[in-house]
Amino acid sequence: MAAFLGLMCAVAGDARGAELAPNTWVKVEVDFSKALADFLGGKKGGWSQGDGYSDNLYRSKTGEGLIRTGISCREIGWSPGFYTNTSVLWDLKTDTAKVINVANWGGGSSGHGKLLPAFKDHPTPTPRHTYDGMAYVPEKDVMYMMLGANWRVGGRGATPEAKAQLKKDGGITWKYDFKTDRWSGIDHHVRNVLGKVYPYESHMRHWPKGGKLLFLDSGGKSYAEFDLEKQKWEKVALKGKCPMSLYNARSAWDSKRGIWIFRLGPRLCTFNPETRTFEKLPDCYDMK
């Protein structure tokens, strides 16, 4: 979570406006212990912060950062291990945080997957590494999640019911609505149009002008677009090759130019969804 705080300080400058001088870092103090205690309401539990492979988002509609992390609570049945099972909102104006949801799953990276009683009325995604596979759509105030690493949930001690649901999860595009605080599963997936797709290190981003989500796999070879109105994925042909591997890369959206930017170590490239082309950028530093 500390890494996320450093990353989001730049965004905080937008939210605080004139309170911060340009190009200036400020220390941020957020009482995450209070946020956890408020959410658990007297139950015993703790943060599980071992996941370094999950995404974070900026909820531009409200000026909040969304952190993916984990909560363990024996009384409820949460035990994500080094997967994330939790979404936390950080209000950049007040430097307060609140837990907004935890997956209705028991088990995690150590196996022992099970569906908790609340899953029946509110299905949720499994605990997982999300990698770069999350996207926020401000016009709808929703976020999407897909793929990632979650297979360990179905390991040792997992229930047959959990194993069956885990298999289904691999073909669901998940959507979280901030207004209703509910997850819903869309029964259409990039695998429906692309076939076999490696679940690790994939990338998903909102394309505002096109009204779609964009998907690229870890090799930068498999590409699909999700129509936000039709709620369907479509396979789309790329024009040219990606100039670098996107495995372990992370990305950002350049709203001024309408392009997707990827970085892997010193290497950089962009993707233009209008032309469906990549462009290599100069390395951002010399790695000897």
Side-chain angles (χ1 to χ4, degrees), residues 241-244 262 266-271 277-284:
K241 294 182 179 180
C242 183
M244 66 187 218
F262 294 89
R267 289 171 287 172
L268 293 161
C269 76
T270 65
F271 176 72
T277 57
F278 295 95
E279 180 180 352
K280 185 181 185 304
L281 299 181
D283 289 355
C284 55

Side-chain angles (χ1 to χ4, degrees), residues 4 9 16 32 36 53 63 75 112 127 155 179 213 274 280:
F4 177 76
C9 274
R16 299 166 195 272
F32 287 106
L36 178 64
Y53 297 94
E75 184 176 344
H112 300 285
K179 296 183 291 294
L213 300 181
E274 293 206 52
K280 185 181 185 304

Side-chain angles (χ1 to χ4, degrees), residues 48-54 68-72 79-86 107-111 126-131 148-155 166 200:
S48 295
Q49 298 172 297
D51 189 337
Y53 297 94
S54 285
R68 282 295 296 182
T69 183
I71 292 178
S72 297
S79 53
F82 55 68
Y83 284 167
T84 62
N85 67 346
T86 302
S109 61
S110 61
T126 66
R128 69 187 66 206
H129 299 319
T130 71
Y131 301 106
N150 62 358
W151 66 270
R152 291 175 181 267
V153 175
L166 176 62
Y200 291 9

Side-chain angles (χ1 to χ4, degrees), residues 1 5 29-43 45-47 49 65 67 69-71 78 86-91 94-102:
M1 201 176 290
L5 292 178
E29 298 284 356
V30 180
D31 192 346
F32 287 106
S33 296
K34 181 180 185 303
L36 178 64
D38 289 347
F39 182 73
L40 291 178
K43 297 181 178 67
W47 293 114
Q49 298 172 297
I67 306 166
T69 183
I71 292 178
W78 297 324
T86 302
S87 296
V88 177
L89 282 180
W90 166 28
D91 188 326
T94 62
D95 286 336
T96 57
K98 65 177 179 180
V99 178
I100 58 171
N101 65 76
V102 181

Side-chain angles (χ1 to χ4, degrees), residues 157-170:
T159 67
E161 184 183 29
K163 290 181 179 180
Q165 184 60 38
L166 176 62
K167 186 176 181 179
K168 291 180 182 178
D169 192 284

Side-chain angles (χ1 to χ4, degrees), residues 4-14 16 20 24-28 90 92:
F4 177 76
L5 292 178
L7 173 68
M8 290 298 291
C9 274
V11 177
D14 277 344
R16 299 166 195 272
L20 293 183
T24 302
W25 289 98
V26 296
K27 184 177 181 180
V28 176
W90 166 28
L92 303 176

